[in-house]
């Protein structure tokens, strides 16, 4: 069977795209795959909200455009920012019509402020905006009869001309691991959509869930699709330290928006030394400020003093963060919160045009795995969910039109071979893959983190080549499992980040090499 559309990934981008195409084109056969459960993934953990201009007295499109440019180190595409900012209102209205609840005040959407924004323009659902959106979209998608939802399916590779010995420069679907069928299956499709998120797991500390191993980016790399700006990895300034149950919990920027202050190991405020806006400076500046203080100080973290936030605000606006902190024995009304910068968001990715089309025909990329030009060298807070809804709409409209175009001949799909490599087997080499994964994360964290240097990039390159050789050996000799697939993707993306980083000779946005100073 050839699906009309295969959507890989079930965060806000993939779900929004699939809902729109399905509703407007009920005859389209759509397959939607998620790596784990349908409600898992990066979107679910988004705390902040969605940036949108609503208060046209104190705010304007121009202000939102300027803030996005400034945060992005002016490396963004201005025309892209313009249409994203202007289309935001319509897309939010759709989310509201779909039943997604955002907090209101006096009958209006409640607007909050985050670092880098010159006005209150973040709409949100308490401090669990992503969770609210994810739940509502999953509920909606499950009701659509023309969408086949397949959970526990991991992308292995895109199907391209390389597999068919043809030369249409097209994508024909993907090979995926089906955990239930315990094998690698072929999902053929006229159009394929990557909405696989970023690769925060390349680093030891990340706000991303374990699934964020850059599967779409790795597959795109092997399919020789153009990717850009991969070294623009954004570190969120305030991840809770240490990890809880092996994961880093995000302490939203909203706290600083409500007046929380950063203090060094001597209990002194320090952000005024780094930026006029202090705690409300763009994320890259705050992250570098904290990293510098940690290097100077005696502690592995700095303190976030949020004692100014009134009790009712914690309960109404930040209930999830409050509960998490109380659960681990920190009462933020009386105690400081220990925080460190942690890998958070990939600003670069698969280069796409204004309709999210990649360099490979019939392949779209949306959300964090794409590089649209909106973020430039650093993403402005709460512009990621915004990018997702605007680009998944544009991609969906473009795809609906393109479905009417002549597809590649059906004979071509008949020629798609079954997966030729080693077959799937669970728990292949857990100790070896786990240890290589840790080596990779240590290398990226120690040498390709917030502050880079030419020497460290050289060290990282050598280390990554060694890891790559070992991964290749295991890949060639063994049956595939999900962990090995993930490691194969992570090592490819790490290699690309290092290569691209070595080419950047000016510091911009999140990118900082001390030898460029
Ligand atoms: C946050 O709540 O601090 C994160 C929001 C974002 O990454 O845009």
């Amino acid at each position: 069977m050839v699906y009309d559309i295969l959507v890989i990934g079930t965060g806000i981008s993939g779900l929004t795209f699939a809902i729109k195409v399905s509703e407007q084109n009920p005859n389209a056969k759509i397959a939607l795959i998620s790596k784990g459960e349908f409600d898992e993934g990066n979107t679910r953990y988004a705390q902040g909200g969605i940036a949108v201009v609503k208060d046209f007295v104190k705010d304007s499109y121009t202000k939102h455009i300027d803030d996005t440019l400034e945060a992005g180190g002016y490396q963004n595409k201005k025309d892209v920012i313009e249409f994203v900012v202007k289309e935001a209102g319509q897309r939010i209205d759709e989310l509201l019509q779909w039943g997604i609840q955002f907090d209101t005040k006096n009958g209006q959407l409640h607007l909050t402020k985050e670092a880098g924004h010159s006005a209150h323009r973040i709409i949100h659902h308490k401090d669990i905006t992503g969770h609210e959106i994810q739940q509502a979209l999953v509920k909606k998608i499950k009701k659509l009869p023309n969408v086949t939802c397949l959970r526990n399916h991991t992308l292995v590779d895109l199907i391209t001309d390389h597999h068919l010995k043809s030369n249409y420069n097209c994508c024909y679907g993907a090979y995926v691991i089906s955990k239930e069928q315990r094998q690698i299956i072929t999902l053929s499709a006229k159009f394929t959509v990557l909405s696989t998120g970023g690769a925060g797991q390349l680093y030891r500390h990340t706000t991303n869930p374990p699934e964020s191993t850059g599967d779409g980016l790795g597959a795109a790399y092997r399919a020789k699709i153009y990717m850009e700006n991969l070294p623009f990895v954004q570190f969120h300034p305030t991840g809770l330290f240490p990890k809880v149950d092996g994961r880093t919990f995000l302490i939203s920027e909203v706290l600083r928006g409500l007046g929380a202050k950063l203090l060094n190991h001597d209990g002194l405020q320090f952000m005024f030394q780094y930026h006029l806006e202090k705690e409300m400076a763009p994320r890259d500046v705050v992250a570098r400020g904290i990293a510098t203080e940690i290097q100077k100080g005696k502690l592995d973290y700095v303190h976030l003093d949020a004692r100014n936030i009134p009790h009712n605000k914690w309960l109404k606006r930040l209930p999830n963060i409050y509960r998490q902190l109380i659960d681990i024995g920190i009462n933020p009304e009386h105690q400081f919160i220990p925080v460190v910068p942690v890998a958070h968001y990939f600003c670069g990715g698969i280069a796409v045009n204004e309709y999210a089309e990649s360099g490979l025909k019939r392949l779209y990329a949306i959300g964090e795995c794409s590089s649209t030009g909106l973020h430039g060298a650093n993403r402005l807070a709460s512009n990621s969910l915004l990018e997702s809804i605007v680009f998944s709409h544009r991609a969906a409209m473009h795809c609906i039109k393109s479905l009417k175009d002549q597809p590649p001949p059906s004979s071509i799909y008949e020629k798609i071979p079954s997966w030729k490599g080693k077959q799937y087997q669970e728990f292949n080499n857990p100790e070896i893959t786990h240890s290589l994964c840790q080596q990779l994360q240590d290398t990226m964290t120690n040498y390709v983190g917030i502050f880079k240097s030419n020497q460290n990039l050289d060290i990282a390159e050598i280390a990554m080549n060694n890891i790559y050789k070992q991964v290749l050996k295991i890949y060639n000799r063994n049956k595939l499992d999900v962990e090995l697939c993930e490691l194969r993707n992570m090592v490819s993306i790490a290699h690309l980040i290092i290569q691209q980083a070595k080419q950047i000779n000016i510091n911009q946005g999140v990118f900082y090499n001390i030898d460029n100073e």
Side-chain angles (χ1 to χ4, degrees):
M1 152 148 168
V2 180
Y3 286 100
D4 289 306
I5 303 165
L6 167 64
V7 183
I8 304 171
T10 53
I12 184 172
S13 304
L15 290 170
T16 307
F17 175 94
I19 290 168
K20 292 200 167 206
V21 179
S22 161
E23 285 189 339
Q24 296 199 29
N25 213 336
N27 294 324
K29 290 191 294 274
I30 303 169
L32 176 61
I33 67 168
S34 68
K35 202 168 170 184
E37 293 303 322
F38 258 70
D39 56 1
E40 193 47 58
N42 252 344
T43 299
R44 176 181 160 178
Y45 297 95
Q47 294 179 356
I50 308 184
V52 55
V53 177
K54 281 279 170 198
D55 176 353
F56 286 91
V57 178
K58 296 192 187 122
D59 196 7
S60 66
Y61 292 143
T62 309
K63 278 183 158 188
H64 190 181
I65 292 167
D66 288 347
D67 294 345
T68 304
L69 277 168
E70 197 196 330
Y74 297 89
Q75 301 300 308
N76 341 44
K77 291 187 183 149
K78 194 163 180 209
D79 55 331
V80 172
I81 308 180
E82 267 171 14
F83 71 68
V84 170
V85 162
K86 289 180 185 163
E87 290 171 23
Q90 277 168 283
R91 303 287 80 84
I92 298 297
D93 289 348
E94 280 161 6
L95 295 185
L96 291 166
Q97 279 158 23
W98 289 355
I100 292 166
Q101 308 276 325
F102 293 103
D103 289 6
T104 54
K105 195 173 175 188
N106 305 327
Q108 302 291 320
L109 287 170
H110 178 246
L111 302 175
T112 183
K113 196 173 170 193
E114 288 180 335
H117 289 272
S118 57
H120 283 69
R121 65 168 77 99
I122 319 291
I123 61 164
H124 61 96
H125 179 96
K126 302 188 173 60
D127 55 350
I128 48 166
T129 308
H131 183 262
E132 165 66 15
I133 293 173
Q134 187 75 21
Q135 297 297 312
L137 296 183
V138 168
K139 207 161 134 198
K140 196 163 168 63
I141 201 90
K142 289 197 168 153
K143 291 192 189 136
L144 297 170
N146 58 334
V147 181
T148 307
C149 295
L150 302 165
R151 65 196 171 94
N152 286 325
H153 282 68
T154 301
L155 171 65
V156 178
D157 268 325
L158 294 166
I159 304 170
T160 62
D161 290 302
H162 163 79
H163 301 96
L164 295 168
K165 304 195 176 26
S166 56
N167 53 8
Y168 292 92
N169 185 32
C170 258
C171 182
Y172 306 95
Y175 295 112
V176 303
I177 290 177
S178 159
K179 270 198 163 178
E180 270 135 46
Q181 294 182 40
R182 299 182 56 78
Q183 58 176 330
I184 297 171
I185 59 167
T186 307
L187 293 176
S188 323
K190 294 179 192 156
F191 291 92
T192 304
V193 182
L194 287 175
S195 50
T196 46
Q201 288 297 330
L202 256 55
Y203 291 86
R204 222 166 24 218
H205 298 273
T206 176
T207 56
N208 295 184
E211 287 80 6
S212 296
T213 50
D215 300 347
L217 299 174
Y221 173 69
R222 288 185 292 279
K224 300 188 170 48
I225 297 166
Y226 179 62
M227 285 188 275
E228 61 187 11
N229 296 345
L230 286 171
F232 296 160
V233 178
Q234 181 179 75
F235 284 75
H236 194 289
T238 54
L240 179 65
F241 183 87
K243 291 183 183 182
V244 180
D245 297 332
R247 288 172 74 160
T248 298
F249 183 73
L250 175 68
I251 302 294
S252 176
E253 203 151 80
V254 174
L255 271 74
R256 279 176 282 131
L258 291 171
K261 301 282 176 262
L262 287 160
L263 310 177
N264 64 15
H265 64 277
D266 291 323
L268 301 172
Q269 255 185 278
F270 57 85
M271 269 315 297
F272 64 89
Q273 295 171 45
Y274 300 94
H275 199 280
L276 278 175
E277 294 292 327
K278 296 178 267 186
E279 278 78 3
M280 293 303 275
R283 254 179 215 177
D284 58 312
V285 180
V286 184
R288 278 195 296 277
I290 296 177
T292 307
E293 293 299 314
I294 291 174
Q295 275 170 9
K296 285 200 272 192
K298 303 172 194 89
L299 295 175
D300 292 334
Y301 53 86
V302 295
H303 308 285
L304 185 66
D305 178 3
R307 292 174 304 168
N308 66 303
I309 298 177
H311 187 68
N312 66 335
K313 272 261 170 8
W314 281 110
L315 299 191
K316 203 164 173 279
R317 180 67 188 88
L318 304 159
N320 183 44
I321 298 175
Y322 187 73
R323 201 185 48 244
Q324 290 282 348
L325 290 172
I326 295 289
D327 281 356
I328 59 162
I330 296 174
N331 183 338
E333 292 180 85
H334 304 293
Q335 290 164 283
F336 298 155
I337 308 166
V339 290
V340 284
V342 290
H344 184 56
Y345 188 86
F346 270 59
C347 302
I350 300 164
V352 294
N353 68 10
E354 67 271 38
Y355 300 105
E357 290 180 288
S358 74
L360 185 64
K361 275 190 238 154
R362 296 178 171 262
L363 178 76
Y364 295 93
I366 42 179
E368 192 177 344
C369 68
S370 69
S371 172
T372 62
L374 174 69
H375 309 309
N378 179 28
R379 173 175 68 79
L380 182 66
S382 290
N383 264 358
S384 54
L385 298 179
L386 171 61
E387 179 188 57
S388 289
I389 51 176
V390 170
F391 272 88
S392 44
H393 173 82
R394 287 178 151 253
M397 296 308 120
H398 189 272
C399 188
I400 289 168
K401 259 201 225 141
S402 306
L403 275 169
K404 296 183 191 131
D405 298 347
Q406 189 67 24
S410 59
S411 58
I412 198 99
Y413 290 97
E414 285 155 21
K415 279 200 230 150
I416 296 178
S418 302
W419 173 254
K420 285 241 170 49
K422 307 275 186 219
Q423 260 305 334
Y424 168 64
Q425 178 179 297
E426 222 162 333
F427 305 121
N428 190 19
N429 269 306
E431 289 88 22
I432 301 177
T433 42
H434 185 67
S435 138
L436 285 170
C437 183
Q438 277 185 340
Q439 283 178 40
L440 182 148
Q441 290 173 333
D442 288 346
T443 304
M444 292 302 286
T445 306
N446 297 339
Y447 303 110
V448 199
I450 295 178
F451 291 108
K452 298 165 194 53
S453 71
N454 293 344
Q455 184 176 313
N456 281 354
L457 289 174
D458 286 341
I459 296 172
E461 184 177 29
I462 295 167
M464 211 50 71
N465 282 342
N466 283 332
I467 297 172
Y468 173 73
K469 281 183 200 149
Q470 295 181 65
V471 173
L472 194 66
K473 246 192 222 162
I474 302 173
Y475 178 79
N476 286 334
R477 287 188 191 159
N478 292 275
K479 294 194 172 184
L480 263 189
D481 64 3
V482 173
E483 288 73 20
L484 184 54
C485 268
E486 292 177 338
L487 188 57
R488 184 167 80 123
N489 294 325
M490 287 163 75
V491 75
S492 305
I493 300 313
H495 163 80
L496 263 184
I497 291 176
I498 297 164
Q499 293 311 313
Q500 292 188 5
K502 291 182 97 171
Q503 308 300 319
I504 303 178
N505 47 24
I506 47 165
N507 292 334
Q508 49 201 4
V510 296
F511 188 87
Y512 204 92
N513 180 337
I514 54 169
D515 293 311
N516 292 343
E517 274 168 5

